[in-house]
């Protein structure tokens, strides 16, 4: 049986839920017979350095406690390694955990899942995205979720790479000091709607096809959702070796307002202005557009992204 687990904790996640979640999670894991140590960090770079040291030292499992920001940082340490990743999802969005069918905002239940899987089949492998950014980054995201860079010029992601209208909302929200919380991003949506114009994209697909398209947004999905349950890539499968690329065309503002609520159920995929491509890699380019992956800032387009099959073992039950 796996003997040592490293808890990777973001105390600020979910307005303090991360700090409160660590103790019950550790208690469940210890009661299940595991040795548990905790890793924090003074900032994102320090936290990433510490967790990479734990992985290099041979910890038997890394368990991220927090939101999608701490999961994103954990991926930079365990992506492409044999160290499995567990998730105690207590942040704001929790899209990585949702995509895997893991408990959300229930640390005892999530820790119980980690223990059960470790004692059982040891988890399952999933794909990750690998994006070339041209630089390393370390930032602090919304709601105190820690974000961080991987190796210089590239980073792993688990759910969705977003660009276009949604990334401009993120840009605007990150610039706003008030109000706090998610309401800030609701205001940012309204502000972007008032000024938004379709964006001229150039997409270069893995077969060499180059597409020129005016679009509202382009999302590259390894997982299904972003933004706390918005199923932008609703049909994406995390272990098929292929991205779902969703292109939302040049919708006028009135139509965008109608389509936007459908994203929560994934029914936007039936709209005539929404197209889907399935690729193993692609390059996105557009003027004055920022990319975000797993909710974390990447930098300006162009970005090149590829799907890496089986890049991560996750402590999650088998896919349904």
């Amino acid at each position: 049986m796996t003997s040592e687990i490293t808890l990777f904790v973001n105390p600020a996640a979910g307005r303090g839920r991360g700090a409160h979640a660590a103790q019950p999670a550790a208690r469940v894991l210890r009661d299940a017979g595991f040795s548990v140590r905790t890793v924090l960090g003074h900032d994102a770079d320090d936290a990433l350095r510490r967790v990479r040291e734990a992985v290099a030292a041979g910890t038997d499992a890394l368990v991220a406690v927090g939101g999608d920001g701490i999961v994103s940082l954990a991926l930079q340490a365990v992506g492409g390694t044999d160290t499995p990743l567990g998730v105690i999802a207590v942040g704001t969005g929790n899209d990585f955990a949702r995509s895997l069918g893991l408990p959300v905002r229930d640390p005892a239940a999530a820790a119980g899942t980690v223990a059960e899987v470790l004692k059982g089949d040891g988890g399952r492998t999933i794909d990750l995205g690998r994006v070339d950014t041209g630089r390393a980054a370390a930032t602090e995201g919304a709601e105190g979720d820690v974000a961080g860079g991987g190796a210089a010029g590239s980073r792993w992601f688990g759910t969705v790479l977003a660009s276009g209208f949604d990334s401009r909302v993120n840009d605007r929200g990150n610039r706003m000091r008030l109000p706090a919380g998610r309401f800030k991003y609701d205001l940012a949506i309204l502000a972007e709607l008032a000024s938004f114009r379709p964006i001229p994209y150039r997409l270069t697909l893995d077969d060499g096809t180059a597409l020129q398209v005016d679009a509202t947004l382009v999302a590259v999905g390894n997982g299904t959702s972003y933004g706390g349950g918005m199923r932008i890539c609703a049909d994406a499968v995390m272990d098929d070796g292929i991205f779902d690329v969703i292109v939302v065309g040049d919708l006028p503002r009135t139509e965008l307002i109608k389509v936007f609520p459908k994203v929560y159920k994934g029914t936007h995929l039936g709209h005539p202005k929404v197209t889907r491509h399935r690729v193993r890699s692609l390059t996105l380019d557009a003027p004055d557009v920022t990319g975000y992956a797993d909710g974390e800032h990447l930098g300006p387009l162009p970005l090149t992204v590829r799907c890496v099959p089986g890049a991560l073992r996750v402590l999650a039950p088998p896919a349904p």
Side-chain angles (χ1 to χ4, degrees), residues 209-234:
T209 300
L211 303 176
Q212 303 274 1
V213 58
D214 288 341
T216 301
L217 64 88
V218 176
V220 181
N222 183 55
T224 56
S225 70
Y226 63 4
M230 298 172 65
R231 295 175 56 81
I232 185 68
C233 300

Side-chain angles (χ1 to χ4, degrees), residues 281-294:
S281 64
L282 77 158
T283 299
L284 303 90
D285 197 4
D288 303 317
V289 175
T290 301
Y292 286 77
D294 292 338

Side-chain angles (χ1 to χ4, degrees), residues 78 94-95 233 252 313:
V78 298
N94 304 310
D95 287 291
C233 300
R313 184 154 63 96

